[in-house]
Amino acid sequence: MTDTVNADPAELAKFSELAHRWWDLESEFRPLHEINPLRLDWIDGISSLSGRKVLDIGCGGGILADSMARKGAEVLGIDLADKALKVAQLHALEAGTRGVKYRSVSAEALAAEQPGSFDIVTCMEMLEHVPEPGSVVKACADLVKPGGWVFFSTINRNLKAFMLAIVGAEYVLGMLPRGTHEYQKLIRPSELAAHCRAAGLDLRFTRGLEHNPLTRRYWLSGDTSVNYMFATHKPVAGS
């Protein structure tokens, strides 16, 4: 890996070690499976996925990418964790999912290769794992067509998020492997909004994602204090 790639080798290794468990519904990835219908429907409700050309950045084992393809989108999932990509490819074959492909490439490299090529770009649960999130946001803006949508999800950086998303989820409840998230890498909504503005993306909608650990129920709300999502739009020149 070269110094120019916006990725943390330790983060890639962390997810590669767990790659074989990505589609195990009782594994460390269970929360991703449980929240996926919520984020999928939110994206599809804002910009219909059917017939759209979609890019999923940091796709991992393909949970979101696969479900977007099943909504009728033509999906490319990219990641730098090669083991996770192989799991995603194998799952697509086993499940017979059409319209989804996977590739090992960074967002920045793909943006230089295929600018303005996608109707929708998603970057979910990924920004908090890279050294320079602003660089990824800029790549997302470059990759999406004018008039297209870019969706982000990440975790807020505050005491409540530290207690619930790190201490609670990783150390008390064991919902995620310990060390999955580092507090200093979490991103405040104001910081992500600034990255979006700098990249020329208009923030249109925000949603919080809440969780009851006793009932294991997830729901969307207006509370962005812990987990949150952004829906941003790339304006058409002159509009």
Side-chain angles (χ1 to χ4, degrees):
M1 182 174 295
T2 67
D3 292 337
T4 59
V5 176
N6 182 22
D8 183 339
E11 293 281 356
L12 296 179
K14 183 191 305 179
F15 288 101
S16 291
E17 289 174 3
L18 297 169
H20 63 289
R21 295 175 62 81
W22 212 284
W23 286 91
D24 180 351
L25 299 184
E26 297 302 321
S27 74
E28 298 88 341
F29 296 106
R30 177 174 174 172
L32 287 183
H33 288 279
E34 291 177 334
I35 68 173
N36 193 57
L38 290 173
R39 59 184 186 174
L40 176 67
D41 289 346
W42 189 65
I43 292 167
D44 191 45
I46 292 173
S47 181
S48 176
L49 289 161
S50 181
R52 300 296 178 87
K53 189 174 181 181
V54 179
L55 174 67
D56 185 23
I57 297 174
C59 64
I63 296 171
L64 177 61
D66 193 273
S67 64
M68 290 193 294
R70 290 180 176 275
K71 283 280 191 180
E74 176 189 341
V75 182
L76 173 62
I78 66 170
D79 206 300
L80 293 174
D82 291 338
K83 289 184 179 179
L85 284 179
K86 290 177 181 177
V87 169
Q89 290 167 337
L90 179 60
H91 180 270
L93 287 172
E94 292 178 341
T97 305
R98 298 181 179 181
V100 62
K101 297 180 180 178
Y102 297 99
R103 182 178 170 190
S104 178
V105 64
S106 70
E108 291 89 345
L110 190 65
E113 177 188 316
Q114 299 183 38
S117 296
F118 298 91
D119 301 303
I120 297 171
V121 175
T122 59
C123 183
M124 317 298 271
E125 289 85 44
M126 184 265 197
L127 291 176
E128 69 272 23
H129 297 289
V130 299
E132 298 179 26
S135 176
V136 176
V137 174
K138 175 64 166 59
C140 290
D142 291 342
L143 283 157
V144 74
K145 297 175 182 178
W149 289 86
V150 181
F151 296 88
F152 300 100
S153 71
T154 189
I155 303 175
N156 205 335
R157 189 176 72 255
N158 55 39
L159 180 59
K160 180 180 178 181
F162 174 73
M163 295 304 298
L164 293 180
I166 296 181
V167 176
E170 297 181 19
Y171 291 85
V172 177
L173 300 174
M175 294 171 59
L176 299 170
R178 294 185 178 187
T180 296
H181 296 106
E182 298 176 35
Y183 179 74
Q184 65 271 22
K185 289 185 177 181
L186 304 184
I187 304 169
R188 295 190 177 104
S190 60
E191 295 167 342
L192 181 52
H195 288 316
C196 291
R197 286 194 300 272
L201 295 172
D202 294 334
L203 176 58
R204 293 291 184 86
F205 305 103
T206 64
R207 291 299 278 168
L209 180 66
E210 297 191 69
H211 172 237
N212 184 324
L214 298 179
T215 63
R216 298 197 66 91
R217 186 175 75 87
Y218 293 84
W219 66 96
L220 300 184
S221 75
D223 184 354
T224 60
S225 60
V226 184
N227 296 279
Y228 66 95
M229 299 188 292
F230 274 14
T232 67
H233 184 259
K234 183 175 182 176
V236 177
S239 63

